[in-house]
């Protein structure tokens, strides 16, 4: 079974879609949502779901302040009770059968993680940019795990993967030291690179999205 980690900061308009997309995945036994000092209605939404579905684990920082994505995700990873970890940002959502193929691949004890393509969902105010911005975030070709570090962006030029499309065993995450809490941006890229250096990460579905990144006014400038 899989634990999904979602850091939440002022995401009240996207949380229902996010949570429902996770709960629809039969392979998920817990969705850990960590509020990162939200000032909107996010904590109320998370709490209501947690009160009615035991798969939802609602957490927040003890001081209820904002500490950033890295520390927030790390809290979720450490709390996770499953050996398989997946990630989903609060304004993003999974598509049908997100984990069906990953679970089959990860039955192989020698494989540590599976990366897949993700797409883009434009919220209303950005519908006109579909033709310009809509594209997959993916590793573009099948790459042997031992070559991934050298070929993936930013070291190589074969593309990169997003956390929304990545399923990984918990043990490697712990061994490389989790997300770097000193980084404000690119903390996920750094972690994926460290994992690619040492562990066996394989491509799943790199041509069809398994999740979608939500693009809206608060994040359109930031290309995760």
């Amino acid at each position: 079974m899989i634990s999904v980690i979602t850091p939440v900061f002022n995401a009240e308009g996207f949380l229902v879609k996010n949570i429902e997309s996770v709960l629809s995945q039969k392979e998920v036994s817990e969705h850990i949502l960590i509020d990162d000092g939200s000032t909107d209605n996010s904590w109320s939404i998370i709490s209501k779901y947690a009160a009615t579905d035991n798969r939802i684990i609602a957490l927040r920082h003890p001081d209820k302040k904002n500490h950033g994505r890295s520390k927030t995700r790390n809290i979720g990873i450490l709390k996770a009770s499953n050996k398989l970890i997946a990630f989903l940002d609060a304004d993003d959502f999974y598509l049908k059968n997100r984990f069906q193929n990953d679970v089959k691949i990860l039955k192989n004890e020698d494989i540590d993680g599976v990366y897949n393509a993700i797409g883009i969902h434009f919220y209303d105010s950005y519908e006109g940019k579909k033709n310009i911005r809509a594209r997959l975030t993916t590793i573009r070709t099948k790459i042997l795990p031992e070559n991934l570090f050298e070929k993936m962006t930013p070291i190589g030029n074969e593309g990169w993967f997003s956390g929304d499309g990545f399923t990984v065993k918990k043990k490697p995450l712990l061994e490389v030291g989790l997300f770097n809490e000193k980084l404000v941006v690119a903390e996920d890229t750094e972690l994926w690179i460290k994992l690619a250096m040492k562990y066996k990460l394989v491509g799943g579905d790199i041509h069809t999205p398994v999740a979608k990144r939500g693009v809206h006014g608060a994040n359109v400038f930031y290309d995760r």
Side-chain angles (χ1 to χ4, degrees):
M1 300 294 277
I2 297 169
S3 298
V4 175
I5 312 299
T6 297
V8 179
F9 178 69
N10 290 348
E12 63 180 2
F14 313 103
L15 275 174
V16 170
K17 190 175 187 68
N18 173 286
I19 294 170
E20 292 292 343
S21 80
V22 175
L23 295 180
S24 70
Q25 312 295 328
K26 63 180 178 13
E27 298 87 357
V28 174
S29 65
E30 60 183 15
H31 186 190
I32 304 173
L33 297 112
I34 314 96
D35 185 76
D36 189 22
S38 295
T39 57
D40 65 358
N41 200 40
S42 293
W43 179 247
S44 176
I45 295 170
I46 296 169
S47 299
K48 286 178 181 178
Y49 269 96
T52 58
D53 195 315
N54 60 15
R55 289 173 293 174
I56 300 294
I57 299 175
L59 303 176
R60 65 201 314 187
H61 298 289
D63 61 6
K64 300 180 184 179
K65 294 181 180 179
N66 180 268
H67 291 272
R69 292 187 301 267
S70 291
K71 185 170 184 177
T72 305
R73 288 192 187 113
N74 287 345
I75 287 172
I77 294 169
L78 294 172
K79 178 69 175 180
S81 61
N82 293 309
K83 74 173 186 177
L84 295 181
I85 304 292
F87 303 95
L88 187 65
D89 285 348
D91 43 10
D92 303 342
F93 57 93
Y94 289 145
L95 298 177
K96 186 178 180 180
N97 297 323
R98 158 68 181 89
F99 296 107
Q100 190 173 67
N101 190 46
D102 288 15
V103 168
K104 292 177 183 178
I105 295 173
L106 288 165
K107 286 181 180 178
N108 184 335
E109 292 296 325
D110 293 331
I111 296 175
D112 299 297
V114 181
Y115 53 86
N116 303 276
I118 74 160
I120 295 176
H121 174 77
F122 289 87
Y123 285 96
D124 291 344
S125 60
Y126 288 94
E127 286 292 321
K129 297 192 176 184
K130 281 184 177 180
N131 292 333
I132 300 174
R133 299 291 303 276
R135 65 189 185 279
L136 293 180
T137 298
T138 187
I139 300 290
R140 289 185 287 271
T141 61
K142 288 290 184 181
I143 300 174
L144 293 174
E146 57 267 31
N147 297 329
L148 181 62
F149 169 74
E150 294 181 350
K151 291 193 174 185
M152 68 187 290
T153 305
I155 297 167
N157 59 6
E158 292 296 335
W160 63 93
F161 60 84
S162 162
D164 289 351
F166 187 42
T167 308
V168 63
K169 292 176 180 176
K170 183 176 180 177
K171 184 178 178 182
L173 290 172
L174 297 174
E175 290 177 346
V176 299
L178 305 180
F179 290 96
N180 187 341
E181 296 183 8
K182 295 180 180 179
L183 294 179
V184 178
V185 297
E187 75 289 339
D188 48 357
T189 300
E190 186 203 51
L191 181 56
W192 311 154
I193 289 172
K194 289 194 294 186
L195 289 168
M197 287 177 64
K198 188 175 180 180
Y199 297 96
K200 191 171 184 179
L201 310 182
V202 302
D205 194 336
I206 62 173
H207 301 297
T208 305
V210 300
K212 288 200 174 183
R213 173 195 168 200
V215 174
H216 52 86
N219 74 354
V220 68
F221 67 95
Y222 177 50
D223 194 5
R224 289 197 292 267

